[in-house]
Each structure stands twice: as C-alpha cells, then as structure tokens.
Amino acid sequence: WRDWSSDVCSSDLYQPVAFKPVALEQDSLVETGRPFYVKGGFGTFRTPLIQAGFALGTGEPFFVNLNTEYSSSKGRIDFQNYSTCKVKAAGSYAFSGNELYSSVAWNRDQYFLYGYNHDAYSPEKQDLSQLYSSINLSAGLRNLSENNLGIHYDPHFSLQVFSLKDLVHENNFRVDLPLQKQFNEKFSANLKAARSEEHTSELQSRQYLVCRL
C-alpha cells in the first residue's frame, strides 16, 4: 500500500486579511475631507464617462451631497447608440438628538431598436427610441440616541416614479413606521408598520408592420 500522508502547515503561518468597510456613496466625500471630485474617461465605441461629486458640511449638524454621472456609446450601425445620465442629492440635518434626512435621484436611459433590416427599412428615429426615466424621493426622521422613554423611532417614506416614454407609467409609494422599545440590556420589543401603493398604466400601444418577401 502507498502512504498518502502529508505534512500540514502550521496554522500560525496563516494570517487572515482584514476587511475594511466601504463608505456609503452619500457620505464618502465627508470622510475623505475633500469637498468635491471629478472623474472622466473615454472607451471604445466612442464612450465618454464623466462623474462628479460635491459635498457641503461634515454631518454636524448638517451635510449635503450631490453626485452626477453621464455616459454614452455609439456603434458603427445606425442607431446603435445609448446614453445614461444619473443625478442624486442627499442630505441630513441633526437637531435636539434627532436627524432629518432625505434624498432625491433622477435617472435617464435611452436606447434604440437598431436590430432591423437597414437595407429594407428607413424608420424615423423617434419610432426606435426607448427612453426610460425614473425619479426616487425619500425622507425620514430618526432619533440619534435613546430618548427618556427608551424608544428608538425612524418613520420614513419613499416615492418612485418610473416611465417608458409614451408607453408605460408606474408609481410606487411606501411609508414605514418602525419603533423599538428597549426595556433592559437583554430585552427589547420592535414594532413596524408599513403601507405600500403601486399604480401602473399603459399610455398607448405601438404597432409594427412587418413585411416578408
């Protein structure tokens, strides 16, 4: 028989790699101490990329943060292009042991249906356009430290509006009312109430004529 035994390295030789948490986007500028940044680049298919951020305040008592991004591409085929634009603003204000916070974001993405027979058809640009847009709004109020009753609260709401131009429109509204009561170091009670409403509508339908010869 053959001996398959082998020597195992001592566990003392292995040192685990430390994990470092990444700061959230809205407060990363505050932690670095830089009030703004601008980043740009250019890639294949004529793809420019521009990102910028601006921060005001340190979080005591307030901060405001703005982030923007734009990118687009254009291929060799007619209408083989797209563009995307994002803008997000967030802020908070601390007062009397509470924090009022809010954020608003706007996204716009445009694509084109370019996979048709370019030798047989000459459609209008507006008939090929797929324009998606969305708006996200949220706000809330929370206590930064436990109050005299031992209660933590964080009521907040969010609103999302999404649309595909001339085709679909969708709204979503949500309200959350979380409460936490701390009785002692080992026992606490949580209460959470939420309500959500969603509405979707089709504005109109598109019709396409396909001819086969």
Side-chain angles (χ1 to χ4, degrees), residues 79-212:
F79 303 112
Q80 190 188 21
N81 54 341
Y82 92 98
S83 64
T84 178
C85 182
K86 301 177 182 180
V87 180
K88 181 179 180 180
S92 70
Y93 177 73
F95 63 97
S96 304
N98 296 282
E99 181 185 30
L100 178 65
Y101 59 94
S102 65
S103 67
V104 59
W106 173 75
N107 297 338
R108 180 184 183 275
D109 299 278
Q110 186 172 31
Y111 306 85
F112 292 90
L113 305 175
Y114 66 90
Y116 59 93
N117 188 336
H118 291 256
D119 296 328
Y121 305 103
S122 298
E124 297 292 332
K125 183 177 182 179
Q126 62 183 11
D127 295 329
L128 303 177
S129 175
Q130 300 285 287
L131 181 59
Y132 300 88
S133 61
S134 64
I135 298 176
N136 300 301
L137 175 65
S138 64
L141 175 68
R142 60 190 172 197
N143 55 336
L144 299 176
S145 58
E146 186 178 287
N147 58 20
N148 296 332
L149 299 176
I151 295 177
H152 293 275
Y153 52 85
D154 184 17
H156 54 274
F157 78 91
S158 62
L159 172 66
Q160 293 89 32
V161 179
F162 169 82
S163 66
L164 171 57
K165 187 178 180 181
D166 299 331
L167 288 178
V168 178
H169 188 83
E170 179 178 308
N171 298 330
N172 185 280
F173 180 74
R174 180 181 176 89
V175 177
D176 291 274
L177 303 172
L179 291 174
Q180 182 185 52
K181 169 64 177 179
Q182 191 74 35
F183 294 96
N184 51 49
E185 295 182 357
K186 297 183 178 180
F187 182 72
S188 65
N190 293 277
L191 173 64
K192 185 174 182 180
R195 178 177 176 83
S196 179
E197 293 184 3
E198 183 175 337
H199 176 71
T200 303
S201 61
E202 293 187 5
L203 304 181
Q204 67 178 35
S205 60
R206 288 186 178 179
Q207 296 182 356
Y208 297 92
L209 177 61
V210 179
C211 298
R212 295 184 179 179

